[in-house]
DNA sequence: TAATTTTGTTGGTATATACCAAATACGCTG
DNA sequence: CAGCGTATTTGGTATATACCAACAAAATTA
């Protein structure tokens, strides 16, 4: 146990930092499947002792593994191996939740907050409403097998969907609106970006505040092309991938040049 | 200087960690525009002294700011304010480089490597070729105003584009193929995910190895729907956002339920 | 048995210190 | 002025230590 692959200055040119070696070791264990999903990683102190390094160094390695998305932290309970990534098809707005439930992914939805707000400039600029028009706003946490996966904030024009908030919000909105209001999503303008998590988001998702996640905004339109809903999701970056079909639009641009 | 907003146990309930306060301060400076793009951030030691904290604590704050994408590290030269995010429309495959050059974004392309390889299982499963079929593979670094932004690795079927590697690869591939080989990109299957950077990628982009970026894979097809090129880009996550138009496909799913 | 207290584990924060290597700035020399 | 060597600045790595708060499990009490 003393001559681990991690040595100080054994004789070679050596420049690999120690914590990198630990990272490598952890990656190995996780990728090889020795530690299945949700297995507890060795605690900082144990890792430090086992490899003959200081706790801070062990900590660095573990944090790196977290940043990579290979493991997640559960507060002071420890760190655990992340579950597999799932695929979200942004070209299919019938949506994730419909699929997730049908495919038996173990999806559950938790309503964090809901209420009525007045349209601000952000909303007014995206949807065909006046400033101050009433919107339902609700925030929900989506969990896969009780594992926090993403947060969704949705804004829908209140006028179009009376008493929406009285209904069961722990189901797919797409389905809800279709069943009770005869409004179907038809197209959506989507923006995807990587950004740092805010305080509350990080709390809900079980991540550190300064960590990054994937933000997915969508402006949902009906058959006539009228937007009626604006949604914003924050995903734990390591838990998803997004697929889409792209089609070339303005071919003229290149020919004219 | 002693009674900064950062105090130890002054009397209130106090639970905001010191480094959080520093982060807040740095965010402020950057967002307020006091420090424009590419301005040097205070070095660790200076920050530590100025706020009366240890260097390691200052370092933590700076690393967090990096992770958030607000600043980037330039090796031992220091840390600098990140430039603004730019938008990549994945529904418009005429592509980024065409736009970037036209819009005068200051795009430059650096060829990292190029050569011929034999198709492995990954390629063979995605493109209509046999295992072992020859592919041109080239890797390029894309810079905006000399700032590393993303790396692209492309694999094209060699048979279809003779002597491609002899041509000038510091231009948009889409344009290149269109001009010289009469092959135009028509549709693309795209996957976007967040993932950790590998060693060399991090080096080229000027990031730490364990940091995360955005990976964008695209399988490019011609008018007849035949795939002829597979590309994989790694973006510095904070530098881009991706837009797309989505259309509902299988409406039957929900009706039948 | 059920509720409560105690104890040990674990991560979170913070410091002070040390040495290294890359990059830069400066001053000297030709 | 150009070229060279040196000193300084800066981030990167690593340690040893300390205390705190959240949490879980074990021991104790009602």
């Amino acid at each position: 146990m003393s001559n681990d692959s991690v040595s100080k200055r054994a004789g070679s040119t050596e420049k690999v930092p120690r914590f990198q070696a630990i990272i490598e070791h952890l990656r190995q264990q996780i990728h090889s499947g020795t530690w299945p999903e949700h297995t507890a990683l060795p605690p900082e102190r144990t890792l430090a002792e086992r490899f003959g390094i200081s706790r801070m160094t062990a900590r660095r390695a573990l944090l790196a593994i977290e940043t990579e998305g290979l493991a997640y932290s559960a507060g002071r309970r420890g760190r655990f191996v992340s579950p597999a990534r799932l695929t979200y098809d942004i070209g299919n707005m019938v949506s994730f939740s419909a699929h997730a439930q049908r495919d038996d992914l173990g999806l559950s939805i938790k309503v964090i907050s809901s209420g009525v707000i007045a349209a601000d400039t952000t909303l007014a600029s995206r949807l065909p409403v006046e400033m101050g028009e009433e919107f339902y706003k609700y925030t929900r946490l989506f969990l896969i097998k009780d594992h926090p996966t993403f947060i969704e904030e949705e804004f829908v024009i209140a006028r179009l969907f009376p008493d929406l908030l009285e209904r069961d919000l722990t189901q797919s909105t797409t389905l809800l609106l279709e069943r009770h209001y005869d409004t179907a999503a038809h197209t959506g303008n989507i923006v995807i970006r990587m950004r740092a998590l805010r305080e509350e988001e990080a709390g809900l998702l079980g991540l550190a505040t300064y960590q990054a996640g994937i933000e997915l905004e969508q402006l949902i339109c009906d058959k006539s092309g009228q937007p009626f809903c604006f949604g914003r999701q924050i995903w734990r970056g390591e838990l998803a991938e997004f697929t889409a079909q792209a089609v070339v639009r303005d071919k003229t641009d290149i020919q004219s040049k």
Side-chain angles (χ1 to χ4, degrees), chain A:
Chain A
M1 195 61 63
S2 60
N3 70 339
D4 236 304
S5 58
V6 188
S7 57
K8 206 190 295 245
R9 209 139 285 254
S12 52
T13 357
E14 287 274 4
K15 37 199 166 182
V16 224
R18 299 189 172 197
F19 77 92
Q20 285 286 5
I22 313 296
I23 291 176
E24 210 48 62
H25 172 258
L26 295 172
R27 275 201 201 115
Q28 207 61 38
Q29 297 291 321
I30 296 173
H31 280 135
S32 71
T34 312
W35 297 340
E37 297 182 1
H38 303 292
T39 304
L41 266 62
E44 301 176 355
R45 288 167 175 85
T46 308
L47 207 59
E49 196 196 7
R50 195 182 300 166
F51 283 89
I53 55 176
S54 83
R55 189 188 146 202
M56 290 309 271
T57 307
R59 184 179 172 75
R60 271 188 74 176
L62 286 165
L63 289 176
I65 289 294
E66 267 188 73
T67 307
E68 281 191 27
L70 295 179
Y72 63 95
S73 164
R76 270 153 240 239
R77 240 166 306 131
R79 293 186 176 85
F80 305 86
V81 177
S82 293
R85 218 184 260 271
L86 52 89
T87 299
Y88 180 105
D89 183 1
I90 61 180
N92 184 354
M93 306 216 39
V94 185
S95 124
F96 181 69
S97 16
H99 272 95
Q101 282 167 337
R102 190 191 56 199
D103 295 345
D104 195 34
L105 279 177
L107 176 77
S108 56
I109 301 177
K110 199 168 143 192
V111 179
I112 305 297
S113 69
S114 69
V116 180
I117 60 155
D120 58 3
T121 46
T122 312
L123 286 174
S125 68
R126 296 175 206 239
L127 294 131
V129 298
E130 300 291 314
M131 276 278 291
E133 161 114 37
E134 281 195 342
F135 270 79
Y136 291 135
K137 174 194 174 176
Y138 48 89
T139 307
R140 304 181 296 176
L141 176 65
F142 288 67
L143 307 99
I144 309 282
K145 295 203 175 79
D146 297 318
H147 190 62
T149 303
F150 70 94
I151 302 167
E152 184 176 53
E153 219 173 44
E154 275 189 321
F155 302 86
V156 299
I157 303 176
R159 167 170 47 85
L160 302 178
F161 310 101
D163 302 320
L164 177 65
L165 297 187
E166 265 74 63
R167 303 195 182 269
D168 178 21
L169 292 176
T170 67
Q171 58 179 308
S172 155
T173 317
T174 324
L175 296 186
L176 193 64
L177 298 185
E178 187 131 2
R179 282 180 184 154
H180 298 286
Y181 301 96
D182 197 40
T183 302
H186 189 250
T187 57
N189 294 310
I190 291 172
V191 183
I192 296 179
R193 66 176 75 88
M194 184 175 133
R195 74 156 172 84
L197 272 58
R198 287 189 250 284
E199 189 81 22
E200 339 86 65
E201 295 165 351
L204 287 170
L205 291 177
L207 294 173
T209 310
Y210 42 85
Q211 275 194 278
I214 295 236
E215 179 170 66
L216 190 149
E217 289 182 351
Q218 45 189 357
L219 185 67
I220 303 176
C221 309
D222 60 21
K223 271 147 285 187
S224 68
Q226 281 290 309
F228 62 91
C229 174
F230 176 71
R232 185 186 285 126
Q233 305 172 352
I234 317 287
W235 288 71
R236 292 184 58 142
E238 79 278 12
L239 292 184
E241 61 184 17
F242 304 87
T243 61
Q245 264 273 340
V247 180
V248 171
R249 287 198 215 130
D250 49 343
K251 224 170 108 61
T252 48
D253 269 1
I254 37 169
Q255 300 292 18
S256 65
K257 193 134 187 248

